[in-house]
mmCIF file of all heavy atoms in Angstrom:
data_model
loop_
_atom_site.group_PDB
_atom_site.id
_atom_site.type_symbol
_atom_site.label_atom_id
_atom_site.label_comp_id
_atom_site.label_asym_id
_atom_site.label_seq_id
_atom_site.Cartn_x
_atom_site.Cartn_y
_atom_site.Cartn_z
ATOM 1 N N TYR A 20 -49.581 58.486 20.032
ATOM 2 C CA TYR A 20 -48.782 57.435 20.747
ATOM 3 C C TYR A 20 -48.950 56.047 20.270
ATOM 4 O O TYR A 20 -48.021 55.321 20.005
ATOM 5 C CB TYR A 20 -49.126 57.493 22.261
ATOM 6 C CG TYR A 20 -48.489 56.350 22.960
ATOM 7 C CD1 TYR A 20 -47.074 56.422 23.306
ATOM 8 C CD2 TYR A 20 -49.142 55.257 23.336
ATOM 9 C CE1 TYR A 20 -46.489 55.391 23.897
ATOM 10 C CE2 TYR A 20 -48.587 54.146 23.992
ATOM 11 C CZ TYR A 20 -47.147 54.337 24.288
ATOM 12 O OH TYR A 20 -46.499 53.230 24.864
ATOM 13 N N ASP A 24 -45.566 54.849 18.932
ATOM 14 C CA ASP A 24 -44.902 53.827 19.731
ATOM 15 C C ASP A 24 -45.322 52.428 19.444
ATOM 16 O O ASP A 24 -44.675 51.419 19.891
ATOM 17 C CB ASP A 24 -45.159 54.188 21.235
ATOM 18 C CG ASP A 24 -44.072 53.709 22.114
ATOM 19 O OD1 ASP A 24 -42.855 53.798 21.749
ATOM 20 O OD2 ASP A 24 -44.323 53.245 23.292
ATOM 21 N N LEU A 28 -42.841 49.137 19.585
ATOM 22 C CA LEU A 28 -43.134 48.024 20.423
ATOM 23 C C LEU A 28 -43.362 46.770 19.600
ATOM 24 O O LEU A 28 -42.944 45.644 20.002
ATOM 25 C CB LEU A 28 -44.454 48.362 21.208
ATOM 26 C CG LEU A 28 -44.314 49.261 22.393
ATOM 27 C CD1 LEU A 28 -45.702 49.702 22.822
ATOM 28 C CD2 LEU A 28 -43.634 48.539 23.557
ATOM 29 N N PRO A 86 -52.223 47.396 36.188
ATOM 30 C CA PRO A 86 -51.820 47.151 34.854
ATOM 31 C C PRO A 86 -50.962 48.348 34.296
ATOM 32 O O PRO A 86 -50.009 48.122 33.501
ATOM 33 C CB PRO A 86 -53.106 47.023 34.022
ATOM 34 C CG PRO A 86 -54.174 47.609 34.895
ATOM 35 C CD PRO A 86 -53.718 47.342 36.281
ATOM 36 N N LEU A 89 -47.434 47.898 35.626
ATOM 37 C CA LEU A 89 -46.779 46.761 34.902
ATOM 38 C C LEU A 89 -46.434 47.300 33.465
ATOM 39 O O LEU A 89 -45.382 46.856 32.978
ATOM 40 C CB LEU A 89 -47.674 45.559 34.841
ATOM 41 C CG LEU A 89 -47.906 44.858 36.173
ATOM 42 C CD1 LEU A 89 -49.001 43.863 36.037
ATOM 43 C CD2 LEU A 89 -46.628 44.227 36.729
ATOM 44 N N MET A 90 -47.291 48.084 32.839
ATOM 45 C CA MET A 90 -46.978 48.618 31.612
ATOM 46 C C MET A 90 -45.721 49.542 31.625
ATOM 47 O O MET A 90 -44.748 49.442 30.806
ATOM 48 C CB MET A 90 -48.117 49.528 31.109
ATOM 49 C CG MET A 90 -47.826 50.228 29.685
ATOM 50 S SD MET A 90 -48.980 51.588 29.393
ATOM 51 C CE MET A 90 -48.277 52.891 30.390
ATOM 52 N N LEU A 91 -45.608 50.330 32.719
ATOM 53 C CA LEU A 91 -44.403 51.216 32.830
ATOM 54 C C LEU A 91 -43.219 50.407 33.174
ATOM 55 O O LEU A 91 -42.120 50.728 32.622
ATOM 56 C CB LEU A 91 -44.653 52.183 34.003
ATOM 57 C CG LEU A 91 -45.667 53.280 33.777
ATOM 58 C CD1 LEU A 91 -45.979 54.126 34.987
ATOM 59 C CD2 LEU A 91 -45.236 54.154 32.550
ATOM 60 N N VAL A 92 -43.304 49.295 33.855
ATOM 61 C CA VAL A 92 -42.105 48.438 34.072
ATOM 62 C C VAL A 92 -41.670 47.868 32.770
ATOM 63 O O VAL A 92 -40.416 47.817 32.514
ATOM 64 C CB VAL A 92 -42.485 47.248 35.051
ATOM 65 C CG1 VAL A 92 -41.387 46.215 35.079
ATOM 66 C CG2 VAL A 92 -42.702 47.824 36.439
ATOM 67 N N GLY A 93 -42.637 47.471 31.875
ATOM 68 C CA GLY A 93 -42.224 46.948 30.582
ATOM 69 C C GLY A 93 -41.518 48.050 29.658
ATOM 70 O O GLY A 93 -40.553 47.738 29.107
ATOM 71 N N LEU A 94 -42.070 49.292 29.777
ATOM 72 C CA LEU A 94 -41.390 50.254 29.067
ATOM 73 C C LEU A 94 -39.990 50.605 29.527
ATOM 74 O O LEU A 94 -39.042 50.893 28.824
ATOM 75 C CB LEU A 94 -42.245 51.624 29.144
ATOM 76 C CG LEU A 94 -43.612 51.587 28.432
ATOM 77 C CD1 LEU A 94 -44.386 52.800 28.559
ATOM 78 C CD2 LEU A 94 -43.386 51.357 26.906
ATOM 79 N N ILE A 95 -39.832 50.474 30.857
ATOM 80 C CA ILE A 95 -38.435 50.709 31.462
ATOM 81 C C ILE A 95 -37.498 49.597 30.937
ATOM 82 O O ILE A 95 -36.337 49.907 30.549
ATOM 83 C CB ILE A 95 -38.550 50.666 33.012
ATOM 84 C CG1 ILE A 95 -39.286 51.932 33.472
ATOM 85 C CG2 ILE A 95 -37.114 50.655 33.587
ATOM 86 C CD1 ILE A 95 -39.545 51.941 34.944
ATOM 87 N N ARG A 97 -37.699 47.868 28.258
ATOM 88 C CA ARG A 97 -37.460 48.018 26.844
ATOM 89 C C ARG A 97 -36.483 49.156 26.624
ATOM 90 O O ARG A 97 -35.599 49.006 25.777
ATOM 91 C CB ARG A 97 -38.826 48.279 26.129
ATOM 92 C CG ARG A 97 -38.630 48.332 24.681
ATOM 93 C CD ARG A 97 -39.943 48.777 24.044
ATOM 94 N NE ARG A 97 -40.361 50.100 24.445
ATOM 95 C CZ ARG A 97 -40.714 51.097 23.603
ATOM 96 N NH1 ARG A 97 -40.842 50.872 22.355
ATOM 97 N NH2 ARG A 97 -41.012 52.227 24.038
ATOM 98 N N ILE A 120 -37.718 41.964 24.355
ATOM 99 C CA ILE A 120 -38.933 41.181 23.988
ATOM 100 C C ILE A 120 -39.871 41.282 25.092
ATOM 101 O O ILE A 120 -41.112 41.572 24.957
ATOM 102 C CB ILE A 120 -38.582 39.773 23.709
ATOM 103 C CG1 ILE A 120 -37.681 39.617 22.456
ATOM 104 C CG2 ILE A 120 -39.841 38.909 23.432
ATOM 105 C CD1 ILE A 120 -37.047 38.348 22.196
ATOM 106 N N GLY A 121 -39.503 40.915 26.362
ATOM 107 C CA GLY A 121 -40.325 40.924 27.519
ATOM 108 C C GLY A 121 -40.992 42.284 27.828
ATOM 109 O O GLY A 121 -42.091 42.338 28.155
ATOM 110 N N GLY A 122 -40.116 43.346 27.706
ATOM 111 C CA GLY A 122 -40.573 44.743 27.990
ATOM 112 C C GLY A 122 -41.655 45.118 26.976
ATOM 113 O O GLY A 122 -42.667 45.710 27.340
ATOM 114 N N SER A 123 -41.380 44.786 25.724
ATOM 115 C CA SER A 123 -42.334 45.129 24.697
ATOM 116 C C SER A 123 -43.665 44.349 24.798
ATOM 117 O O SER A 123 -44.688 44.949 24.672
ATOM 118 C CB SER A 123 -41.790 44.847 23.276
ATOM 119 O OG SER A 123 -40.601 45.540 22.988
ATOM 120 N N LEU A 124 -43.514 43.141 25.197
ATOM 121 C CA LEU A 124 -44.771 42.282 25.386
ATOM 122 C C LEU A 124 -45.567 42.809 26.559
ATOM 123 O O LEU A 124 -46.788 42.924 26.449
ATOM 124 C CB LEU A 124 -44.350 40.825 25.574
ATOM 125 C CG LEU A 124 -45.492 39.808 25.706
ATOM 126 C CD1 LEU A 124 -46.285 39.744 24.423
ATOM 127 C CD2 LEU A 124 -44.821 38.436 26.042
ATOM 128 N N ALA A 125 -44.911 43.100 27.678
ATOM 129 C CA ALA A 125 -45.684 43.530 28.830
ATOM 130 C C ALA A 125 -46.254 44.870 28.601
ATOM 131 O O ALA A 125 -47.450 45.099 29.008
ATOM 132 C CB ALA A 125 -44.699 43.547 30.031
ATOM 133 N N ALA A 126 -45.474 45.806 28.019
ATOM 134 C CA ALA A 126 -46.098 47.189 27.740
ATOM 135 C C ALA A 126 -47.285 47.082 26.898
ATOM 136 O O ALA A 126 -48.313 47.721 27.168
ATOM 137 C CB ALA A 126 -44.993 48.054 27.223
ATOM 138 N N THR A 127 -47.225 46.290 25.834
ATOM 139 C CA THR A 127 -48.270 46.183 24.828
ATOM 140 C C THR A 127 -49.572 45.501 25.481
ATOM 141 O O THR A 127 -50.680 46.002 25.400
ATOM 142 C CB THR A 127 -47.807 45.388 23.640
ATOM 143 O OG1 THR A 127 -46.735 46.051 23.048
ATOM 144 C CG2 THR A 127 -49.024 45.348 22.613
ATOM 145 N N PHE A 128 -49.260 44.341 26.159
ATOM 146 C CA PHE A 128 -50.439 43.571 26.698
ATOM 147 C C PHE A 128 -51.182 44.406 27.722
ATOM 148 O O PHE A 128 -52.389 44.485 27.712
ATOM 149 C CB PHE A 128 -49.893 42.314 27.375
ATOM 150 C CG PHE A 128 -50.963 41.523 27.994
ATOM 151 C CD1 PHE A 128 -51.856 40.825 27.202
ATOM 152 C CD2 PHE A 128 -51.034 41.406 29.378
ATOM 153 C CE1 PHE A 128 -52.884 40.109 27.849
ATOM 154 C CE2 PHE A 128 -52.032 40.623 29.966
ATOM 155 C CZ PHE A 128 -52.941 39.968 29.202
ATOM 156 N N PHE A 129 -50.456 45.097 28.638
ATOM 157 C CA PHE A 129 -51.098 45.785 29.726
ATOM 158 C C PHE A 129 -51.707 47.176 29.207
ATOM 159 O O PHE A 129 -52.679 47.695 29.854
ATOM 160 C CB PHE A 129 -50.210 46.037 30.932
ATOM 161 C CG PHE A 129 -49.968 44.762 31.622
ATOM 162 C CD1 PHE A 129 -48.705 44.105 31.574
ATOM 163 C CD2 PHE A 129 -50.945 44.170 32.458
ATOM 164 C CE1 PHE A 129 -48.534 42.893 32.361
ATOM 165 C CE2 PHE A 129 -50.791 43.049 33.109
ATOM 166 C CZ PHE A 129 -49.535 42.351 33.077
ATOM 167 N N GLN A 130 -51.196 47.708 28.122
ATOM 168 C CA GLN A 130 -52.012 48.827 27.491
ATOM 169 C C GLN A 130 -53.310 48.313 26.990
ATOM 170 O O GLN A 130 -54.364 48.952 27.163
ATOM 171 C CB GLN A 130 -51.135 49.334 26.313
ATOM 172 C CG GLN A 130 -50.084 50.262 26.705
ATOM 173 C CD GLN A 130 -49.279 50.855 25.430
ATOM 174 O OE1 GLN A 130 -49.825 50.914 24.434
ATOM 175 N NE2 GLN A 130 -47.985 51.091 25.639
ATOM 176 N N GLY A 131 -53.336 47.156 26.312
ATOM 177 C CA GLY A 131 -54.529 46.591 25.868
ATOM 178 C C GLY A 131 -55.468 46.171 26.989
ATOM 179 O O GLY A 131 -56.706 46.357 26.867
ATOM 180 N N LEU A 167 -54.245 43.900 21.080
ATOM 181 C CA LEU A 167 -53.235 44.956 20.846
ATOM 182 C C LEU A 167 -51.957 44.379 20.503
ATOM 183 O O LEU A 167 -51.162 45.088 19.756
ATOM 184 C CB LEU A 167 -53.195 45.831 22.094
ATOM 185 C CG LEU A 167 -52.562 47.197 21.828
ATOM 186 C CD1 LEU A 167 -53.351 48.061 20.903
ATOM 187 C CD2 LEU A 167 -52.320 47.947 23.149
ATOM 188 N N TYR A 171 -50.004 45.818 17.223
ATOM 189 C CA TYR A 171 -48.649 46.442 17.221
ATOM 190 C C TYR A 171 -47.691 45.524 16.475
ATOM 191 O O TYR A 171 -46.809 46.142 15.890
ATOM 192 C CB TYR A 171 -48.223 46.540 18.668
ATOM 193 C CG TYR A 171 -48.725 47.774 19.416
ATOM 194 C CD1 TYR A 171 -49.717 48.561 18.874
ATOM 195 C CD2 TYR A 171 -48.339 47.987 20.758
ATOM 196 C CE1 TYR A 171 -50.193 49.630 19.558
ATOM 197 C CE2 TYR A 171 -48.902 49.039 21.445
ATOM 198 C CZ TYR A 171 -49.831 49.891 20.881
ATOM 199 O OH TYR A 171 -50.302 50.988 21.549
#
Side-chain angles (χ1 to χ4, degrees):
Y20 171 76
D24 207 37
L28 282 167
L89 291 170
M90 179 197 78
L91 291 175
V92 169
L94 291 175
I95 290 169
R97 186 188 64 134
I120 295 166
S123 300
L124 184 63
T127 303
F128 178 71
F129 287 109
Q130 281 180 29
L167 196 64
Y171 281 3

